[in-house]
Amino acid sequence: DTAVSQTPKYLVTQMGNDKSIKCEQNLGHDTMYWYKQDSKKFLKIMFSYNNKELIINETVPNRFSPKSPDKAHLNLHINSLELGDSAVYFCASSQDLVEGTQYFGPGTRLLVL
Amino acid sequence: KQEVTQIPAALSVPEGENLVLNCSFTDSAIYNLQWFRQDPGKGLTSLLLIQSSQREQTSGRLNASLDKSSGRSTLYIAASQPGDSATYLCAVFTGANSKLTFGKGITLSVRP
């Protein structure tokens, strides 16, 4: 069974559209994250949620809105997509906020045309 | 602000060689340090996690060390194999703001 899963795996869309990426973890973890990996492969945290509460919001444009319906899910909605949003988006989870290994999903490759 | 540096950005070695990948970080107030592996077009796989109170961790042919006071970690790979070719990322977890800060990674190529 996949520990952290993301859908879709690939997303190609036009500028100005709104899209969502879904993430689910079956590890029973309390904390989930969204990361962005840019074209230079640099990985940077965007958001973290602990028990459905927002903990970190790293100066991400408010066009990006995470939503956590329950502890096992953290979805990312993006409004008015821009060319610069093209990247790979990774979801991850960890047992809690303080310590512990982070487990990553396979990534969603977003291309904005 | 925590910064993580991995130098060099790329490394090519012949098969069988023992090698060391370096990682440095600017703020020694970390909770733990993780080494990840990323294959092209894939997600990240956690290799080793070292808690701030530990000096090293071992898994198979991999050994990671941590010198928190000097802000350094190394990942030692013994008897490298072509299947070890990947990008290796170092990341430090800073409990104060509960986030993982990544280096830019070292892309390793092991030649048969």
Side-chain angles (χ1 to χ4, degrees):
Chain A
D1 283 344
T2 304
V4 182
S5 59
Q6 296 178 228
T7 54
K9 193 170 182 179
Y10 299 97
L11 189 51
V12 182
T13 188
Q14 300 286 333
M15 274 176 54
N17 284 350
D18 302 339
K19 291 293 178 186
S20 291
I21 307 172
K22 294 186 177 181
C23 177
E24 177 181 2
Q25 54 96 2
N26 62 6
L27 297 167
H29 287 169
D30 286 344
T31 309
M32 296 185 73
Y33 310 83
W34 277 109
Y35 290 87
K36 179 180 180 179
Q37 189 172 43
D38 60 25
S39 57
K40 296 181 180 177
K41 308 297 183 189
F42 189 46
L43 200 66
K44 190 171 181 182
I45 190 164
M46 300 172 69
F47 301 102
S48 73
Y49 268 71
N50 187 61
N51 282 321
K52 303 194 303 174
E53 286 190 29
L54 178 67
I55 302 298
I56 295 175
N57 179 341
E58 279 287 302
T59 47
V60 177
N62 57 15
R63 297 183 295 104
F64 291 79
S65 52
K67 284 188 173 51
S68 182
D70 55 58
K71 272 187 1 176
H73 296 84
L74 181 62
N75 304 323
L76 183 65
H77 189 76
I78 315 170
N79 289 326
S80 304
L81 278 155
E82 301 178 355
L83 294 176
D85 297 332
S86 296
V88 182
Y89 292 85
F90 287 100
C91 176
S93 74
S94 64
Q95 184 62 54
D96 53 43
L97 272 175
V98 179
E99 296 181 358
T101 301
Q102 291 196 16
Y103 295 86
F104 280 72
T108 295
R109 283 144 189 85
L110 171 65
L111 177 60
V112 182
L113 302 174
Chain B
K1 179 187 171 190
Q2 178 74 268
E3 292 184 3
V4 179
T5 303
Q6 293 182 255
I7 296 173
L11 189 60
S12 180
V13 300
E15 183 176 3
E17 191 162 300
N18 300 326
L19 59 103
V20 174
L21 306 181
N22 293 306
C23 171
S24 62
F25 47 95
T26 54
D27 184 351
S28 62
I30 64 169
Y31 271 40
N32 61 53
L33 181 146
Q34 271 185 262
W35 282 93
F36 291 88
R37 169 183 172 141
Q38 185 174 25
D39 292 283
K42 304 284 186 185
L44 278 71
T45 301
S46 179
L47 298 173
L48 289 164
L49 180 146
I50 312 177
Q51 301 292 356
S52 61
S53 58
Q54 296 175 323
R55 298 283 294 183
E56 65 179 315
Q57 283 285 339
T58 298
S59 175
R61 293 183 294 108
L62 305 179
N63 176 278
S65 69
L66 173 64
D67 184 344
K68 203 173 82 160
S69 59
S70 68
R72 295 179 190 275
S73 175
T74 61
L75 179 67
Y76 174 81
I77 303 176
S80 58
Q81 303 170 356
D84 295 330
S85 298
T87 297
Y88 291 82
L89 296 129
C90 167
V92 295
F93 188 78
T94 306
N97 52 11
S98 300
K99 71 175 189 177
L100 204 57
T101 303
F102 281 85
K104 294 188 177 181
I106 299 173
T107 299
L108 173 65
S109 173
V110 181
R111 307 186 300 272

